[in-house]
Amino acid sequence: MVGAGQLARMTYQAAIALGVELRVLATDAGDAAVRAGAPHAVGSAASLADLRAFAARADVLTFDHERVPPEHLAALEAEGVRLAPGAAPKLLAQDKLVARRRLRELGFPVPPFALASTRWEVEEFGAEHGWPLIAKAPRGGYDGQGVQELPAPCRPAAPLLLEPRLELERELAVLVARAPGGESVAYPVAETVQHEAMCREIVVPAPIPDALAAEATGLATAVTEAIGATGVVAVELFVTRDGLLVNELALRPHNSGHYTIEGCVTSQFEQHLRAVLDLPLGSAALVARAVATVNVVGPADGSDPAERLAAALAVPGAHVHLYGKAPRPGRKLGHVTVCGDDPEPTRAAARTAAALLEGRA
Ligand SMILES: Nc1ncnc2c1ncn2[C@@H]1O[C@H](COP(=O)(O)OP(=O)(O)OP(=O)(O)O)[C@@H](O)[C@H]1O
Ligand SMILES: [Mg+2]
């Protein structure tokens, strides 16, 4: 697995159970997966030589992030390295503009968009769709970094993907796992709740009508199939007055799927390994009536949530996951999942434990 952050760390936990040898490509020995003991190489995901050397010892290469130059992936594939997902589908998770264009071409609903390099192009899009606009860096953004609101015309420093600021009724995420042969399994539809463009809470099942859930599942499955992904795919959806729109894709385990560790028969991390290794996929069924996950984010005072572990563990039913990352304000450092019978108390318990870890309660 290229990358050794929290996703690799939790994938490593799943690999231990399966007895699968997972090695990670880390930027340094302080990375979350390495601290958990995952066998690793130190190297740069931006270096073709490092990727090549790392891949030489593996049967198949997969990813815990998007920050691998697409041209390196194409080169590795041309040299016969097995990538899961492949370079072409992975590009849709790496470049928001490529994804918007490709999904629109394939007939999937996406927000209106344009690429703007000049002030005039920004003005024109704003005149058509109204202010403010949402502007995104096509590549390299995550956790809302790279997403900004444009209140008025400006001259972009670099080309920007422009979208209208949509009225969102909700945001949903659907995870789909797809095996190389095309077999796929969809997880229950999750509602994701963001603050300042970062995902903070995940509520499952999403409190939406069955028909909308079925539509979201169908859409996510069709997208996964159409792009030929292998492994776990997270399809982020906007619910608008006019229906569902595909926001973005991640071709890897995803923050919106951490709830599956305790909440589903097969966690997204185990499922990703199964799919990537072409093993039979597992059931994605919920094991509780309600599941909630709340992210633990580094508090403003720079303190480490790990100091408050005991307080959080006193919350009944709280499954605490801390990633062993250096605390920084605003950085995702862990999450808490609670499974229950009723959505509201389940979510409240997860919120309480996360607030305790963040020192807010
Ligand atoms: N066109 C839009 N209108 C309204 N809100 C938007 C729009 N685009 C993005 N957002 C908000 O910003 C959030 C982050 O946007 P997006 O998913 O495109 O960026 P990201 O940084 O790659 O996200 P992440 O890595 O957190 O998934 C969305 O989940 C949504 O809350
Ligand atoms: Mg997103």
Side-chain angles (χ1 to χ4, degrees):
M1 179 170 265
V2 176
Q6 66 261 27
L7 300 174
R9 179 179 170 111
M10 290 184 272
T11 306
Y12 177 57
Q13 286 179 278
I16 293 169
L18 297 180
V20 163
E21 191 188 341
L22 178 74
R23 295 180 73 238
V24 299
L25 181 63
T27 50
D28 64 68
D31 285 1
V34 178
R35 291 168 67 121
H40 70 284
V42 171
S44 167
S47 152
L48 181 56
D50 287 0
L51 289 166
R52 201 180 268 137
F54 183 63
R57 289 186 51 191
D59 297 312
V60 55
L61 203 64
T62 190
F63 312 93
D64 109 318
H65 61 67
E66 326 295 2
R67 298 178 303 282
V68 188
E71 59 276 15
H72 291 356
L73 294 182
L76 291 170
E77 219 163 40
E79 292 166 15
V81 176
R82 251 185 75 205
L83 304 182
K90 183 68 178 171
L91 182 57
L92 300 194
Q94 296 178 305
D95 188 313
K96 291 181 201 286
L97 178 69
V98 171
R100 285 270 185 277
R101 287 184 173 149
R102 183 80 187 117
L103 292 173
R104 188 171 63 185
E105 236 170 61
L106 289 166
F108 295 113
V110 295
F113 68 93
L115 184 71
S117 312
T118 64
R119 185 188 169 95
W120 186 79
E121 286 167 332
V122 176
E123 259 176 45
E124 195 184 42
F125 193 83
E128 186 182 349
H129 295 281
W131 301 93
L133 298 175
I134 299 288
K136 301 180 180 180
R139 291 191 181 184
Y142 67 97
D143 287 350
Q145 301 176 18
V147 176
Q148 51 169 324
E149 218 175 85
L150 288 188
C154 67
R155 193 176 66 82
L160 288 174
L161 173 65
L162 300 180
E163 301 171 3
R165 190 181 68 184
L166 301 164
E167 291 272 350
L168 306 181
E169 289 176 6
R170 289 178 196 284
E171 295 187 57
L172 306 174
V174 186
L175 295 175
V176 180
R178 183 172 180 276
E183 178 202 354
S184 74
V185 171
Y187 282 82
V189 180
E191 174 171 16
T192 61
V193 181
Q194 356 284 318
H195 299 297
E196 290 167 356
M198 184 203 268
C199 177
R200 298 301 297 265
E201 300 186 0
I202 298 100
V203 174
V204 195
I208 54 173
D210 289 348
L212 184 59
E215 197 190 324
T217 306
L219 180 54
T221 304
V223 167
T224 302
E225 183 55 40
I227 67 172
T230 302
V232 166
V233 178
V235 182
E236 295 183 3
L237 300 170
F238 290 154
V239 185
T240 70
R241 214 178 24 212
D242 304 324
L244 294 173
L245 300 174
V246 180
N247 174 34
E248 65 167 348
L249 308 177
L251 272 71
R252 52 169 169 76
H254 190 248
N255 189 183
S256 68
H258 294 348
Y259 81 88
T260 62
I261 296 174
E262 290 87 11
C264 292
V265 175
T266 310
S267 84
Q268 65 163 347
F269 301 101
E270 177 176 331
Q271 197 76 288
H272 187 68
L273 290 170
R274 289 182 181 220
V276 164
L277 296 170
D278 204 8
L279 295 166
L281 299 181
S283 162
L286 286 175
V287 297
R289 277 206 282 271
V291 187
T293 292
V294 177
N295 284 329
V296 176
V297 174
D301 65 7
S303 64
D304 191 343
E307 291 162 17
R308 296 175 285 266
L309 177 62
L313 291 178
V315 177
H319 297 282
V320 174
H321 296 253
L322 294 174
Y323 307 147
K325 290 160 68 176
R328 271 206 307 269
R331 191 180 197 199
K332 275 181 196 157
L333 301 174
H335 71 266
V336 179
T337 296
V338 177
C339 299
D341 288 329
D342 298 314
E344 273 320 308
T346 300
R347 186 173 180 175
R351 278 184 173 174
T352 300
L356 285 163
L357 286 162
E358 291 177 5
R360 290 189 286 109

